[in-house]
Amino acid sequence: MKLLFFQKCAFVLLFYFFFFSSLIFSQNPWASYVHEYSFGAGQNTGQGANYFPNNVLGAVSTSVSATSPSALPEEIVSLGRNGWVSVGFESPIINGIGADFTVFENAFQITGGLGIFDEWLIVSISNDGENWFTFPYDSLTGTGMAGRTPTNGGNVNYLDATQSGGDSFDIGELGLNEVKYVRMQDATRFQSSDRLSAELDAVIALHQLTTPIESSNIFNSNIYVSDNQLFIQSEKSLQLRIYNAQGQEVESINYSPTLSFVFSLENWTKGLYFFRINEQEGVKFVVR
Ligand SMILES: [Ca+2]
Ligand SMILES: [Ca+2]
C-alpha cells in the first residue's frame, strides 16, 4: 500500500515535472533589451531606428548557415570601429556548469577551405551595469573573444553550445555567479585592415535564473515565491510538503490561517522543487 502511494506520487511528480518544465523553459533566453550602446565609425549597417535594437534582440537568424552569414540590417548591427552594445535579459544569467551564454556575430567559413572570416568582439559582463568584468583575450590570435565562430543556423538547439555555433562564455571563469548584462565591443582594430567592424546578431543565456511561477488558484489558496521567500495565504489549514527534483522531501510546513505566512528560502540550493499540499492530487514547484 505504501509502495503504491509512492509510485502514484512519483507518477504525479513526473507528470508535473514535464508539464511545468515546458513552462519553465518557455522563458525567453535571448537578449530582450539593449542596456546601453555607443556605435563607432566606419560601418553602420542596421544602426537605423527601423532596425536597431530589434536586430540584436531575440533569436539569431535561423536562415543563416556557417557559410552564409546574416548581412541584412533587419538581422544584424555593425558596431563600428571600437563601438559597443550591452544587452540585458528577462532574467539574469547564472553560473551553471560550463558555458553560460553564447554570442552570435556573422563570422562565416570562406568557401574553398580558406578558413573563417571573423570579426572580433571583446566580451564583458556586469551585474550592476557599472562594474564590468572583461573576459581575457589575446589581441594577436583573437582567443577569448566573440565573433570568431560561425552560427550554424537551422534547427540546432541554441541552448546547446556544442551545436549552435557562435562563441560561448562561462561567467564562472571571472568568478561571478550572476550577471544581468553582457557587453560586446568591436575589436577589429586588432585585425587586418579588411575588417571594418564586427556585427552583432544575437546573445543567448544558457543558464538563467528562472522566475518562479505563481501558483495561486489550484488549492483555493495563494502560494507564491518572491525575493527568495515563500508566501502562503489560505483560509484553511494546510500541510505543505516540499520535495527536491530527486523526489526527496526537503521541508514540511504546517500552516494555519493567519493574515500571512512567510517562509525564507534564502539558504536553499538553486533548483526545481515540488510542492504537495495535504494529500491532494497536485504538485507545485519553485525554481530559484
Ligand atoms: Ca558556468
Ligand atoms: Ca539578430
Side-chain angles (χ1 to χ4, degrees):
M1 192 67 185
K2 200 170 183 181
L3 186 65
L4 196 65
F5 169 75
F6 279 115
Q7 280 174 339
K8 196 173 172 186
C9 189
F11 173 77
V12 172
L13 285 171
L14 207 60
F15 172 79
Y16 277 88
F17 176 80
F18 286 116
F19 177 72
F20 282 123
S21 56
S22 65
L23 293 179
I24 294 169
F25 296 119
S26 67
Q27 177 169 268
N28 178 16
W30 299 95
S32 60
Y33 62 97
V34 164
H35 168 241
E36 288 177 324
Y37 70 97
S38 174
F39 293 133
Q43 202 168 22
N44 61 5
T45 304
Q47 292 179 1
N50 288 350
Y51 306 118
F52 180 83
N54 285 340
N55 49 11
V56 300
L57 305 179
V60 70
S61 172
T62 53
S63 61
V64 307
S65 72
T67 52
S68 175
S70 306
L72 298 172
E74 293 87 349
E75 295 178 350
I76 49 101
V77 72
S78 294
L79 300 184
R81 201 40 76 97
N82 300 336
W84 55 268
V85 170
S86 61
V87 295
F89 300 80
E90 271 182 13
S91 184
I93 296 169
I94 57 172
N95 181 29
I97 295 170
D100 303 306
F101 66 92
T102 303
V103 177
F104 297 94
E105 205 258 348
N106 63 351
F108 62 96
Q109 285 168 10
I110 303 168
T111 48
L114 298 175
I116 291 171
F117 187 94
D118 54 358
E119 290 175 319
W120 299 342
L121 291 162
I122 296 166
V123 178
S124 307
I125 52 179
S126 175
N127 203 25
D128 59 9
E130 307 253 319
N131 298 291
W132 291 90
F133 301 84
T134 299
F135 285 93
Y137 59 85
D138 184 333
S139 63
L140 294 177
T141 64
T143 302
M145 292 198 246
R148 305 177 66 229
T149 308
T151 303
N152 284 333
N155 291 322
V156 301
N157 177 7
Y158 284 91
L159 291 169
D160 181 349
T162 65
Q163 55 174 289
S164 65
D167 298 285
S168 300
F169 296 82
D170 180 349
I171 69 170
E173 276 183 17
L174 298 184
L176 298 181
N177 284 318
E178 190 173 319
V179 299
K180 287 201 182 79
Y181 309 109
V182 177
R183 184 174 69 195
M184 282 67 45
Q185 183 181 33
D186 171 74
T188 52
R189 60 186 179 277
F190 298 129
Q191 299 182 264
S192 63
S193 56
D194 63 339
R195 268 64 166 178
L196 302 176
S197 160
E199 277 70 42
L200 181 65
D201 185 345
V203 186
I204 189 171
L206 305 177
H207 298 121
Q208 211 169 4
L209 197 64
T210 305
T211 312
I213 293 178
E214 282 194 23
S215 47
S216 42
N217 46 35
I218 298 176
F219 298 96
N220 241 350
S221 312
N222 195 7
I223 298 172
Y224 63 98
V225 172
S226 178
D227 288 338
N228 291 336
Q229 292 183 310
L230 173 69
F231 294 83
I232 304 175
Q233 289 170 307
S234 174
E235 291 177 1
K236 292 190 223 162
S237 293
L238 297 173
Q239 188 195 30
L240 181 74
R241 300 166 80 180
I242 306 176
Y243 302 82
N244 62 20
Q246 287 74 46
Q248 298 158 328
E249 185 174 312
V250 292
E251 190 63 58
S252 176
I253 297 167
N254 289 307
Y255 168 88
S256 52
T258 55
L259 285 178
S260 66
F261 176 92
V262 182
F263 183 82
S264 176
L265 302 170
E266 197 62 47
N267 297 318
W268 284 38
T269 309
K270 283 175 181 163
L272 180 64
Y273 293 92
F274 299 92
F275 292 33
R276 185 177 176 85
I277 298 181
N278 297 340
E279 297 307 321
Q280 293 186 58
E281 286 283 314
V283 184
K284 300 184 180 187
F285 73 91
V286 59
V287 179
R288 301 176 58 244

